[in-house]
């Protein structure tokens, strides 16, 4: 089924896509706000509040990640089969139930059940919203000439704004009423998301060309260009994860503590909120998506290589700050490009499955890659940062094998109004 048949295509008499795209971006903002108001404080709650051992806290957090990232492919396949609306609504209901359950969980079994439910809710919700955003961005591009990357940048910036606001909201809730209050507030946020989508998200007919999970996976595994894109994206995510592995070590080495980490993470989020849209608007008009992907990965690689070469600046944080800035700039270039390339590499009826598979494959790569890079943390600085720089540069080599797509014409309108 084409996007025009789905009611969101570029036909001249079709509906205005801008309200729907705003809904999807607002969804990402609300999703991340509710998520990051709770999850950053989960480890402390499990250890200090419930008295769990460190290894058990790590296990719970790992199970949450697996139930989310590892099962994205399931949510994507269900989206292809039944359309985004029922999958999104089900994900919202499960996320509300998960947060309510977590608010009252006081044993290992109940905590594990709650976090698995929260993770699985995201595995349903996120692939459905992301694939629908990509599909709508392509349709909007065809209708108006606005590059799809520009549309997808709005989505990314909204998510980063939520990731920035969520922890601030969570810290206020923790001061006011503790972890249980933060969980209840997260549930309220998702009740609002559920109500908005139940009212505004259009119904879609079931896809005539929908494929079974087995057939869809077989076709996806056999799709070499898409698998290359997954590997390219994996090199970025493995690199990005170093903000949680190598960056804390660098900050502690430079300053004697990790107290400056919060400011560096805030710097990254603020850069995305402020610069994502103008940077993507510039790149979408001037360079092709594959070139944006290559440039972004190169910036990430340079960021790692610059750490041992950058002289220690104010308070010794200049090398770490240069890494954060370059990695964030690379992210702002390559993430919209990757999302925009997926619809070019797979058929429309497999877009949900491909969106989910992109996250699941990359999540597995992060698991393996983080274990490998973690063994390097005790290596001499030049060795560590050289190896880390080689990861995104390997992604550059892979990205150059992807089929190119010419950049879209100059936009005749924007999606920011």
């Amino acid at each position: 089924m084409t996007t025009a048949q789905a009611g969101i295509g570029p036909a001249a008499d079709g509906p205005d896509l801008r309200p729907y795209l705003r809904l999807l971006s607002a969804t990402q903002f609300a999703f991340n706000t509710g998520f990051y108001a709770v999850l950053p404080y989960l480890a402390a709650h499990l250890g200090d509040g419930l008295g769990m051992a460190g290894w058990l806290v790590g296990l719970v957090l790992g199970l949450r990640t697996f139930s989310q990232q590892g099962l994205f492919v399931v949510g994507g396949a269900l989206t292809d089969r039944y359309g985004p609306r029922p999958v999104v609504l089900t994900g919202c209901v499960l996320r509300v139930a998960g947060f309510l359950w977590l608010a009252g969980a006081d044993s290992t079994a109940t905590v594990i059940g709650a976090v698995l439910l929260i993770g699985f809710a995201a595995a349903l919700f996120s692939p459905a919203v992301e694939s629908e955003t990509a599909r709508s961005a392509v349709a909007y591009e065809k209708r108006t000439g606005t590059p799809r990357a520009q549309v997808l940048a709005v989505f990314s910036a909204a998510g980063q704004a939520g990731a920035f606001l969520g922890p601030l909201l969570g810290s206020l809730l923790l001061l006011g009423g503790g972890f249980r209050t933060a969980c209840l507030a997260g549930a309220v946020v998702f009740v609002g998301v559920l109500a908005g989508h139940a009212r505004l998200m259009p119904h879609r007919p079931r896809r005539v060309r929908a494929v079974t999970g087995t057939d869809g996976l077989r076709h996806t595994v056999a799709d070499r260009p898409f698998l290359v894109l997954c590997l390219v994206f994996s090199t970025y995510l493995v690199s990005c994860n170093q903000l949680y592995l190598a960056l804390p070590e660098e900050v502690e080495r430079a300053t004697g503590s990790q107290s400056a980490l919060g400011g560096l993470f805030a710097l990254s989020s603020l850069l995305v909120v402020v610069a994502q849209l103008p940077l993507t608007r510039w790149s979408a008009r001037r360079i092709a998506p594959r070139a944006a992907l290559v440039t972004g990965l190169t910036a990430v690689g340079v960021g790692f290589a610059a750490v041992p070469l950058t002289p220690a600046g104010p308070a010794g944080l200049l090398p770490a700050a240069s890494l954060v800035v370059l990695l964030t700039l690379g992210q702002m270039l390559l993430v919209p490009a990757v999302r925009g390339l997926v619809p070019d590499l797979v058929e429309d009826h497999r877009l949900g499955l491909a969106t989910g598979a992109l996250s699941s494959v990359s999540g597995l790569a992060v698991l393996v890659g983080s274990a490998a890079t973690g063994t390097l943390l005790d290596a001499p600085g030049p060795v560590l940062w050289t190896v880390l720089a080689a990861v995104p540069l390997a992604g550059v080599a892979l990205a150059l094998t992807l089929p190119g797509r010419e950049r879209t014409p100059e936009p005749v309108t924007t999606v920011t109004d």
Side-chain angles (χ1 to χ4, degrees):
M1 184 177 65
T2 66
T3 52
Q5 289 171 317
I8 61 171
D13 58 349
D16 185 357
L17 277 171
R18 284 175 297 180
Y20 188 47
L21 289 167
R22 283 196 290 265
L23 169 67
L24 294 171
S25 295
T27 293
Q28 185 72 352
F29 170 76
F31 183 90
N32 278 3
T33 299
F35 179 83
Y36 285 102
V38 176
L39 267 296
Y41 308 102
L42 177 59
H45 171 70
L46 298 180
D48 300 335
L50 300 183
M52 289 186 178
W55 70 268
L56 188 54
V57 173
L59 175 63
V60 170
L61 296 179
L63 288 172
R64 188 209 64 78
T65 301
F66 172 77
S67 66
Q68 177 174 323
Q69 202 82 7
L71 297 180
F72 263 41
V73 66
V74 175
L78 291 174
T79 300
D80 287 339
R81 185 70 180 87
Y82 298 105
R85 179 183 168 89
V87 179
V88 166
L89 297 183
T90 301
C92 288
V93 170
L94 293 181
R95 180 53 69 93
V96 171
F99 276 142
L100 292 176
W101 190 1
L102 185 60
D106 57 2
S107 68
T108 300
T110 54
V111 167
I112 288 176
V115 298
L116 286 176
L117 189 60
I118 289 170
F120 183 61
L124 294 178
F125 183 96
S126 292
V129 171
E130 290 176 12
S131 61
E132 188 72 351
T133 302
R135 182 177 286 112
S136 300
V138 171
Y140 196 77
E141 177 184 73
K142 291 178 179 177
R143 171 183 289 181
T144 67
T146 301
R148 70 186 70 172
Q150 190 171 322
V151 177
L152 294 168
V154 176
F155 185 80
S156 295
Q160 282 296 327
F164 178 73
L165 178 63
L168 300 178
L169 174 63
S171 64
L172 293 176
L173 292 169
L174 287 173
L175 290 174
F179 185 76
R180 186 171 185 269
T181 300
C183 289
L184 295 176
V188 169
V189 169
F190 282 96
V191 168
V193 175
L194 172 64
H197 282 77
R199 177 175 177 81
L200 300 174
M201 198 168 200
H203 293 271
R204 298 277 186 261
R206 292 175 66 170
R207 298 188 180 282
V208 176
R209 294 191 61 197
V211 294
T212 65
T214 303
D215 288 341
L217 283 174
R218 188 177 71 250
H219 283 92
T220 301
V221 170
D223 191 336
R224 182 185 175 280
F226 175 71
L227 289 181
V228 169
L229 183 65
C230 288
L231 292 175
V232 171
F233 193 54
S234 295
T235 65
Y236 155 69
L237 285 182
V238 169
S239 300
C240 188
N241 201 56
Q242 301 314 308
L243 289 178
Y244 306 98
L245 285 176
L247 182 64
E249 294 288 329
E250 168 62 21
V251 170
E252 186 160 359
R253 182 201 63 78
T255 67
S257 75
Q258 297 185 7
S259 59
L261 274 177
L264 291 174
F265 288 142
L267 172 64
S268 176
S269 293
L270 280 175
L271 275 174
V272 176
V273 172
V274 172
Q276 178 73 78
L277 298 184
L279 180 62
T280 304
R281 187 178 297 118
W282 173 85
S283 66
R285 291 174 176 175
R286 288 168 174 80
I287 58 177
R290 188 178 66 176
L293 180 54
V294 168
T295 305
L297 285 169
T298 301
V300 173
V302 171
F304 286 115
V307 171
L309 302 177
T310 304
L317 284 174
L318 193 57
S322 67
L323 170 62
V324 169
V325 170
L326 286 168
L327 197 151
T328 304
L329 288 174
Q331 168 194 327
M332 288 189 285
L333 281 169
L334 69 89
V335 171
V338 167
R339 287 178 172 159
L341 282 169
V342 174
D344 289 338
L345 299 179
V346 302
E347 296 92 340
D348 182 73
H349 64 279
R350 288 197 291 121
L351 184 56
L353 177 63
T355 301
L358 180 68
S359 294
S360 293
V361 171
S362 302
L364 179 61
V366 168
L367 179 63
V368 175
S370 295
T373 56
T375 63
L376 294 171
L377 293 180
D378 293 328
V383 174
L384 169 65
W385 298 112
T386 298
V387 172
L388 293 180
V391 174
L393 295 181
V396 169
L398 286 170
L400 292 173
T401 69
L402 288 169
R405 174 169 64 86
E406 294 299 322
R407 67 178 179 88
T408 50
E410 288 289 321
V412 296
T413 187
T414 69
V415 297
T416 56
D417 55 355

